[in-house]
Amino acid sequence: MSDNLTIHWFRQDLRLEDNPSLYYAVLKGSVLPVYILDDRNAADFRMGGANRWWLHHSLESLNRSLQGRLTLLMGDPLEILPALAALTGATKVYWNRCYEPWRINRDTRLKHKLREQGITAESFNGSMLWEPWEVHKSDGTPYKVFTPFYRKGCLSAASPRMPLPLPVKLDCPSPPEESLPLEALGLLPRIRWYRQLEPHWTIGENGALERLAIFLKHGLPGYREGRDFPARPNVSRLSPSLHFGEISPNQAWHGAIAAGSGIDLDHFQSELAWREFSYSLLYHNPGLPEKNLQKSFDRFPWKENPAALMRWQQGLTGYPIVDAGMRELWQTGYMHNRIRMVAGSFLVKNLLLHWHEGESWFRDCLADADLAINSASWQWIAGCGADAAPYFRIFNPVTQGQKFDADGSYTRRYLPELARLPDRYLFSPWEAPVSVLADAGIATGKTYPEPIVDLKSSRRQALEAYALTRNHS
Ligand code: FAD
């Protein structure tokens, strides 16, 4: 192959536009684009099912954009990349940085190994507005609270860079014969549960750019208020694309500045900054996915209740807004943020099940499952995280439904068995008179379950458990 070849290693940056590593690699000459499925180093943090489904289609789309020139491999990049450089005569390996602890560890070792072999190894920032180490307090320590992190830290740091254009001229050699067909990566399971997810998404860079454009036109105006109502079209649904890097946060940030203004723009930017905050938390606390940030929670008396956990997972708790969210997750690979909070609070506070159970179910079912954001958000919901929701703030699934889905259109979409129940009883079917239930075709306990816990007593139990934890601290 070419004697001035750079390997661009695609990871969480499955796009051509605004891709710093690819952009600078192309400036040096011809580029061998490579993706490596690395389950070995990921170990316990292997991607879940919905992530893998998304990745399959995202790679398919990327390979189409590269006119079939994407090299696909599977195994340990620590062995594969030095060998591939030797095989192809590549003198440089470039990539965009990732921030999961297992990836930082692997990439650091890889850099040393390549450099020892006389190969230039360079990494770039392709997925953060600010690198996790760039935003810190004046004493150099990381922020633990979101508002100062964003208002003082991020906004007083340099503005996020403008997106880079498409690489000028992509000159890619044919993949080496070691390259695998996409199917060989085995990202799609044999049981085709993912079929129901397909109609909800256009996966890949073009789909992401399209979703951003639609959002900027129709969702951003009114975002601040509308983002809390799951039936309104005010959220971007960009999260899986941001996770896989089909679009960069810089494209979203600067796109929003060009299209919007005032409180809606400010609020959207602050949500992008919550993503940055989650990454900062993971970077500075590599144990975030497993360990409570607030140590007093190590004593929290979580319950074990596999039957209740399964009812929650299946959307059969008897609380319609929770069940609608859990079924949205199962049917689409996504759940609206407001409902993630309500369903999450129900699991950890009303059922008293460990936040790890919720984190791991979400990790498997969310197309946007992201180690940093998922762990930080579950810790936030459970009350044990940085800047967490106070433990005594327990979302009431009945009033949350009445407030944020008042006409029931979201809940009825995912719970067709309750479609004919009048609004007044939609979020508390157990209060409906027998005749109303009969008219709506509902047989409680048969077509829709009785509530699996009582809200008042479970709330009291949660507060008692919390008091116990605090008294010991
Ligand atoms: P928009 O409102 O359009 O926001 C734009 C982008 O900002 C999002 O795509 C996301 O990257 C970022 N963002 C928005 N809200 C948050 C937030 N609260 N925290 C961090 N970043 C945010 N998000 C994930 O991407 N992956 C996860 O695994 C994940 N797990 C979560 C688990 C729980 C229990 C909760 C409560 C939230 C979780 N979130 C997660 C955060 C949030 O729910 C999603 O980012 C959001 O719903 C994605 O929808 P959107 O792209 O339409 O958001």
Side-chain angles (χ1 to χ4, degrees):
M1 287 197 185
S2 154
D3 57 356
N4 191 21
L5 182 70
T6 304
I7 293 176
H8 165 69
W9 178 22
F10 275 111
R11 297 121 58 86
Q12 303 296 102
D13 57 332
L14 306 180
R15 64 179 184 276
L16 302 189
E17 218 174 295
D18 193 32
N19 186 324
S21 160
L22 181 66
Y23 183 84
Y24 291 110
V26 167
L27 292 184
K28 303 276 179 195
S30 48
V31 173
L32 184 74
V34 177
Y35 183 87
I36 303 168
L37 180 65
D38 180 9
D39 284 333
R40 193 185 301 176
N41 290 296
D44 291 346
F45 299 107
R46 285 174 89 234
M47 275 173 280
N51 262 176
R52 295 172 97 82
W53 161 76
W54 189 286
L55 176 63
H56 176 95
H57 293 290
S58 199
L59 289 172
E60 193 171 45
S61 157
L62 180 67
N63 194 26
R64 253 196 318 274
S65 305
L66 290 166
Q67 280 143 20
R69 296 297 166 109
L70 180 62
T71 295
L72 287 173
L73 296 164
M74 200 160 66
D76 188 348
L78 281 164
E79 290 159 18
I80 291 177
L81 283 167
L84 189 64
L87 177 80
T88 58
T91 51
K92 299 176 272 333
V93 181
Y94 284 8
W95 63 81
N96 291 308
R97 283 187 278 282
C98 291
Y99 304 87
E100 290 83 0
W102 68 269
R103 283 194 166 113
I104 293 180
N105 182 338
R106 177 197 62 189
D107 297 350
T108 310
R109 287 159 61 207
L110 178 66
K111 245 183 204 172
H112 288 302
K113 196 166 178 186
L114 288 168
R115 285 174 182 166
E116 270 170 18
Q117 211 174 295
I119 291 167
T120 304
E122 259 200 74
S123 65
F124 300 80
N125 174 10
S127 61
M128 302 311 297
L129 297 167
W130 298 275
E131 304 258 24
W133 51 86
E134 279 173 3
V135 178
H136 49 74
K137 292 194 255 181
S138 50
D139 64 2
T141 59
Y143 285 100
K144 292 190 177 138
V145 178
F146 173 73
T147 304
F149 166 84
Y150 178 49
R151 301 276 165 208
K152 278 199 196 157
C154 298
L155 293 184
S156 63
S159 304
R161 62 166 176 77
M162 290 299 287
L164 295 163
L166 275 169
V168 190
K169 185 173 169 287
L170 211 49
D171 167 24
C172 303
S174 301
E177 59 184 33
E178 287 76 4
S179 180
L180 300 167
L182 180 57
E183 288 64 32
L185 299 190
L187 292 166
L188 297 182
R190 261 189 292 135
I191 298 171
R192 299 179 175 199
W193 52 262
Y194 52 81
R195 284 276 184 231
Q196 59 181 347
L197 274 49
E198 284 168 355
H200 301 279
W201 303 97
T202 308
I203 299 177
E205 182 171 7
N206 290 338
L209 290 170
E210 216 171 89
R211 241 173 298 129
L212 175 63
I214 292 172
F215 168 72
L216 294 179
K217 194 156 176 215
H218 303 289
L220 186 56
Y223 176 77
R224 185 190 157 138
E225 201 214 327
R227 65 178 287 275
D228 265 328
F229 296 81
R232 293 196 197 166
N234 283 102
V235 290
S236 69
R237 297 172 73 91
L238 280 173
S239 47
S241 302
L242 283 164
H243 172 73
F244 284 104
E246 296 170 344
I247 196 164
S248 72
N250 303 64
Q251 289 169 298
W253 177 272
H254 288 289
I257 291 175
S261 61
I263 51 170
D264 292 324
L265 170 63
D266 183 61
H267 209 91
F268 182 64
Q269 289 177 312
S270 77
E271 292 305 326
L272 290 174
W274 268 103
R275 176 176 178 273
E276 305 279 315
F277 185 53
S278 306
Y279 273 80
S280 166
L281 288 176
L282 179 62
Y283 181 78
H284 294 290
N285 306 276
L288 184 76
E290 285 151 331
K291 295 185 197 145
N292 301 316
L293 283 184
Q294 290 182 37
K295 293 291 157 234
S296 60
F297 271 79
D298 292 354
R299 282 186 295 271
F300 194 86
W302 300 109
K303 285 189 182 168
E304 293 241 352
N305 187 342
L309 176 62
M310 199 187 284
R311 297 275 288 269
W312 178 80
Q313 291 169 335
Q314 294 175 340
L316 291 172
T317 66
Y319 286 97
I321 195 75
V322 174
D323 293 342
M326 298 309 293
R327 299 213 208 154
E328 179 187 23
L329 174 62
W330 188 248
Q331 288 170 30
T332 71
Y334 174 90
M335 195 195 299
H336 186 277
N337 180 62
R338 165 67 40 186
I339 314 302
R340 291 186 204 206
M341 293 196 289
V342 177
S345 165
F346 187 81
L347 182 85
V348 293
K349 295 184 180 172
N350 296 103
L351 298 180
L352 283 184
L353 297 180
H354 202 297
W355 63 267
H356 286 170
E357 302 283 7
E359 190 274 343
S360 110
W361 185 250
F362 272 28
R363 183 154 18 123
D364 202 25
C365 299
L366 279 171
D368 65 31
D370 183 288
L371 192 66
I373 310 180
N374 202 29
S375 318
S377 302
W378 275 100
Q379 293 228 22
W380 184 88
I381 284 288
C384 56
D387 196 8
Y391 194 83
F392 53 80
R393 189 168 161 218
I394 299 177
F395 288 93
N396 179 319
V398 177
T399 51
Q400 287 286 308
Q402 288 164 343
K403 187 167 175 196
F404 294 108
D405 190 32
D407 70 1
S409 45
Y410 170 82
T411 302
R412 289 192 177 90
R413 189 184 317 152
Y414 294 105
L415 300 184
E417 67 270 44
L418 300 186
R420 290 193 284 132
L421 196 58
D423 290 355
R424 181 168 167 205
Y425 300 112
L426 184 60
F427 299 103
S428 52
W430 61 90
E431 287 178 345
V434 178
S435 61
V436 172
L437 289 173
D439 284 352
I442 298 166
T444 314
K446 288 196 179 129
T447 58
Y448 187 69
E450 304 267 11
I452 57 169
V453 279
D454 173 64
L455 284 186
K456 264 199 196 143
S457 58
S458 60
R459 182 186 154 83
R460 201 177 46 244
Q461 269 190 34
L463 294 177
E464 282 166 10
Y466 178 55
L468 211 69
T469 310
R470 275 169 55 102
N471 290 343
H472 282 133
S473 55

